[in-house]
Amino acid sequence: MVYRFIDNNKTQFGLRWLCRKFGISPNCYYNYLRKAKREYQERLLRIYELIKYIYYNNNRVVGYRTMRVFLQRYGYEISNTTVHKYMNKDLGLCAVMMHSKPGYKSGKKHKTFDNLLKQDFTADEKNTIWCTDFTYMRQPNGKFRYNCSILNLFDRSIVASLNGDYINTQLAIDTLEKALTQEKIPK
């Protein structure tokens, strides 16, 4: 208690004068300061270890805002700014974030054909009616891969399938060319 009083009032009265009045050597006061810093450093190390534990046990997706909530549950009241500093600057930990979708890349426009099937998806012979469809798959890095598949309506088998980085007409054309080559359709 005396050391805190000296610490709070040393600029007003002077450190040596306060130490003399309380009968304390300045060396004792400086030892008190070192101990306070040591306690602060020990607390900081405990917080660092706790941040690393939470971060790695939650698949590295915890950002500084969520980390603050976790730290509050463990009894540490720390501001968002301080948690951000501890995570990003001191420990080098960053949350895995979803990237925004890539911009649309338009391809060449091709002729649009009439709907000849009229919702009748049955075929009497092999390779008389094919349907195509696009689908996408999300990769672990957040990017998308697109798949174009051609389906034979006679036996519901996949005639050809190709993957690409973009969903465009070139992917459909390449898939159709692959299907025509594999099925050996006459010209």
Side-chain angles (χ1 to χ4, degrees):
M1 179 120 161
V2 172
Y3 292 119
R4 270 187 274 148
F5 180 81
I6 293 173
D7 201 27
N8 292 336
N9 297 301
K10 66 184 175 187
T11 56
Q12 186 177 3
F13 297 107
L15 177 65
R16 300 271 180 197
W17 186 83
L18 285 171
C19 287
R20 258 195 320 263
K21 286 296 178 191
F22 288 110
I24 299 171
S25 73
N27 196 24
C28 292
Y29 172 74
Y30 289 122
N31 285 339
Y32 157 77
L33 286 182
R34 264 196 304 259
K35 182 180 178 196
K37 287 181 184 177
R38 187 177 69 234
E39 289 173 359
Y40 170 78
Q41 291 297 328
E42 288 172 357
R43 179 180 185 268
L44 191 60
L45 287 175
R46 284 193 305 268
I47 291 172
Y48 283 172
E49 290 302 318
L50 188 58
I51 288 174
K52 285 193 251 180
Y53 173 77
I54 293 168
Y55 180 77
Y56 289 113
N57 282 334
N58 288 290
N59 297 325
R60 301 179 188 162
V61 297
V62 177
Y64 69 94
R65 292 181 190 100
T66 310
M67 183 64 71
R68 179 176 179 244
V69 174
F70 276 109
L71 292 174
Q72 282 177 336
R73 291 179 187 165
Y74 283 97
Y76 294 102
E77 276 295 325
I78 305 172
S79 70
N80 276 341
T81 308
T82 306
V83 175
H84 184 270
K85 184 187 93 161
Y86 289 168
M87 284 184 68
N88 292 3
K89 291 183 181 175
D90 297 346
L91 297 173
L93 304 176
C94 298
V96 177
M97 295 174 24
M98 295 299 293
H99 296 289
S100 60
K101 289 183 178 180
Y104 176 73
K105 292 193 177 184
S106 62
K108 294 187 300 184
K109 291 184 179 178
H110 291 278
K111 182 178 177 184
T112 304
F113 295 96
D114 296 331
N115 183 2
L116 300 175
L117 293 180
K118 308 242 189 302
Q119 303 301 320
D120 181 22
F121 297 105
T122 58
D124 298 330
E125 294 179 40
K126 187 175 181 181
N127 294 331
T128 55
I129 302 175
W130 288 349
C131 286
T132 185
D133 190 26
F134 284 95
T135 188
Y136 65 90
M137 297 156 281
R138 183 186 298 269
Q139 294 178 325
N141 63 1
K143 293 185 180 180
F144 286 94
R145 289 285 288 172
Y146 298 95
N147 176 271
C148 179
S149 299
I150 296 179
L151 176 77
N152 187 353
L153 288 181
F154 176 69
D155 58 356
R156 304 277 192 233
S157 64
I158 297 293
V159 178
S161 180
L162 280 180
N163 294 325
D165 291 329
Y166 304 103
I167 185 167
N168 54 17
T169 53
Q170 190 58 47
L171 182 59
I173 291 170
D174 293 344
T175 308
L176 180 61
E177 288 174 354
K178 180 180 176 184
L180 292 172
T181 304
Q182 285 181 348
E183 294 296 317
K184 298 182 178 90
I185 304 296
K187 300 255 179 187

